[in-house]
Amino acid sequence: MEKILKLVRPNILNLTPYSTARDEYKGPLGIFLDANENPYPDADGGGFNRYPDPAQREVKALLAGIKGVAADRIFVGNGSDEAIDLAFRVFCEPRTDNAIAIAPSYGMYRVAAAINDVEVREIQLGADFSLDTAAIRAATDPHTKLLFLCSPNNPSGNLFPRAQIAALLQTFPGMVVLDEAYIDFSPEGSSFLGEIDRYPNLVVLQTLSKAWGMAGLRLGLAFGAREVIDIFSRVKYPYNVSAAVQGIVAARLAASEKVEAQIAEIISERARVMAALEASDAIAKVYPSDANFVLVRTTGNPREMYEKLIAQGIIVRDRSRIPGCEGTLRITIGTPAENDKLLETI
Ligand SMILES: Cc1ncc(COP(=O)(O)O)c(C=O)c1O
């Protein structure tokens, strides 16, 4: 752990975090005159006149049960985008340190790096979106603090081989942030969540925005070593997840059967959509997917197909201008009826 703490920026390691009224008094309910709140509860009983729990204890307790991870290994934020930003703020000295990311991949790694004035060294994936672990290692230097891996990767949809990720965890000199936003659509046993004990340099990101159907609520998760999660929690805004969101998320996490059925349907629809796309003359290639979307290379001009789909009220993502994704569109798996309409139109 000493090695990990050495990666943390000294100002962050020495930070005295803001202490909220709720941090200072955790006892039973009483007359709260400690946070300058309006004392009158709202008419709808929401309790929103009070600040939310800064430690999100109820949500974390439920997540701990669902994920099989101790609550103090879980960071909860305003989408996983908050955790991505925090990784830079915690580990990377602006204009000095650097991070490594794969390309093509999720665009926020690059944006968060730019906001934090941190250099990102992008390592291009192979033509089949395979991972070049040697190139990643070769790109490191003594100022390399972070590696962002996304598996299944967005926009390509593929999981990277477990052995390759494990090898990087063993040899990478900094923190490995493994973004598993789409892991619920992957075969069982694909996640590295069970490995956070073995690798103190591993931070696993997950989100409630995809399989869990709560993108509008904004709740992202980071899992890792207790010490790393503790530092993330000290750096975050004290009340980073609203009381409304904590309440709705807790209720939905407690009733997860519907989500499991939806995931199963999306996975079976993915197979159906992929098979139909493969059979279509308009599609030159369907890339393998372990996520809830599929990347396809069109036979003709992808922009033309994109516009034609829009004319029919179907909006997909044009990824054709991203290096490595030339000629491609990314299509999210919808409901069976939505997928029917897509396939008919294509
Ligand atoms: C790989 C990946 N990570 C993270 C996110 C963002 O997740 P959140 O909604 O939790 O911020 C996305 C959203 O598209 C994504 O594709």
Side-chain angles (χ1 to χ4, degrees):
M1 190 41 60
E2 214 174 296
K3 223 169 102 194
I4 301 300
L5 294 180
K6 278 210 178 103
L7 296 168
V8 177
R9 294 167 67 200
N11 61 317
I12 299 294
L13 212 48
N14 297 326
L15 181 76
T16 306
Y18 179 72
S19 177
T20 70
R22 290 295 98 83
D23 287 321
E24 287 175 18
Y25 176 80
K26 296 196 183 88
L29 284 181
I31 299 173
F32 285 115
L33 303 178
D34 59 351
N36 301 345
E37 297 151 331
N38 179 323
Y40 299 103
D42 17 61
D44 63 11
F48 300 136
N49 58 321
R50 299 295 178 191
Y51 280 101
D53 175 7
Q56 305 110 1
R57 276 165 291 200
E58 189 186 3
V59 168
K60 282 184 188 166
L62 286 162
L63 286 167
I66 292 166
K67 301 286 181 184
V69 173
D72 60 359
R73 320 284 301 261
I74 307 175
F75 166 83
V76 170
N78 182 352
S80 27
D81 289 344
E82 181 179 353
I84 292 167
D85 180 56
L86 277 174
F88 284 104
R89 290 163 66 198
V90 165
F91 292 105
C92 296
E93 208 58 66
R95 298 187 200 198
T96 303
D97 291 331
N98 65 74
I100 295 181
I102 52 174
S105 194
Y106 181 48
M108 272 306 286
Y109 312 137
R110 189 191 302 179
V111 173
I115 291 167
N116 287 287
D117 212 354
V118 172
E119 179 200 353
V120 180
R121 299 176 176 178
E122 290 191 334
I123 305 299
Q124 199 67 27
L125 297 173
D128 55 353
F129 301 115
S130 55
L131 195 59
D132 186 345
T133 53
I136 289 174
R137 275 189 221 105
T140 63
D141 68 20
H143 287 293
T144 303
K145 295 293 184 69
L146 295 173
L147 167 62
F148 283 89
L149 294 175
C150 182
S151 181
N153 187 40
N154 177 10
S156 52
N158 55 317
L159 274 169
F160 296 118
R162 232 185 141 70
Q164 280 192 316
I165 297 175
L168 284 167
L169 282 164
Q170 282 153 23
T171 55
F172 190 74
M175 299 297 295
V176 177
V177 181
L178 179 60
D179 189 339
E180 293 189 341
Y182 299 97
I183 203 71
D184 296 307
F185 303 105
S186 305
E188 240 184 273
S190 301
S191 175
F192 269 73
L193 198 48
E195 307 288 333
I196 55 175
D197 277 337
R198 186 185 313 184
Y199 302 111
N201 61 336
L202 171 63
V203 172
V204 173
L205 303 184
Q206 293 189 2
T207 177
L208 301 188
S209 296
K210 308 296 175 185
W212 282 89
M214 298 186 227
L217 290 174
R218 310 304 301 132
L219 206 104
L221 318 169
F223 304 87
R226 206 163 274 116
E227 292 83 348
V228 171
I229 295 304
D230 183 53
I231 293 171
F232 273 40
S233 302
R234 288 150 53 94
V235 175
K236 75 176 178 69
Y237 290 124
Y239 301 112
N240 62 329
V241 181
S242 75
V245 168
Q246 290 190 45
I248 301 170
V249 165
R252 292 190 176 204
L253 287 176
S256 61
E257 316 78 42
K258 200 179 78 197
V259 169
E260 279 160 31
Q262 287 172 350
I263 294 171
E265 179 155 289
I266 290 167
I267 291 173
S268 93
E269 279 294 292
R270 180 179 70 200
R272 181 175 79 91
V273 169
M274 288 173 76
L277 290 172
E278 257 154 28
S280 164
D281 290 342
I283 302 296
K285 181 157 177 73
V286 179
Y287 290 92
S289 174
D290 291 294
N292 66 333
F293 57 84
V294 54
L295 190 74
V296 297
R297 187 151 43 76
T298 59
T299 317
N301 184 336
R303 194 71 199 174
E304 262 171 40
M305 181 181 282
Y306 173 82
E307 303 286 358
K308 279 184 187 161
L309 287 168
I310 287 198
Q312 296 300 315
I314 300 170
I315 302 100
V316 299
R317 198 89 192 258
D318 179 2
R319 301 279 76 181
S320 62
R321 272 164 282 184
I322 296 177
C325 292
E326 292 79 5
T328 66
L329 300 177
R330 194 194 68 194
I331 304 172
T332 304
I333 304 299
T335 65
E338 289 171 341
N339 300 332
D340 283 345
K341 178 89 197 288
L342 167 91
L343 294 172
E344 205 178 290
T345 309
I346 286 189

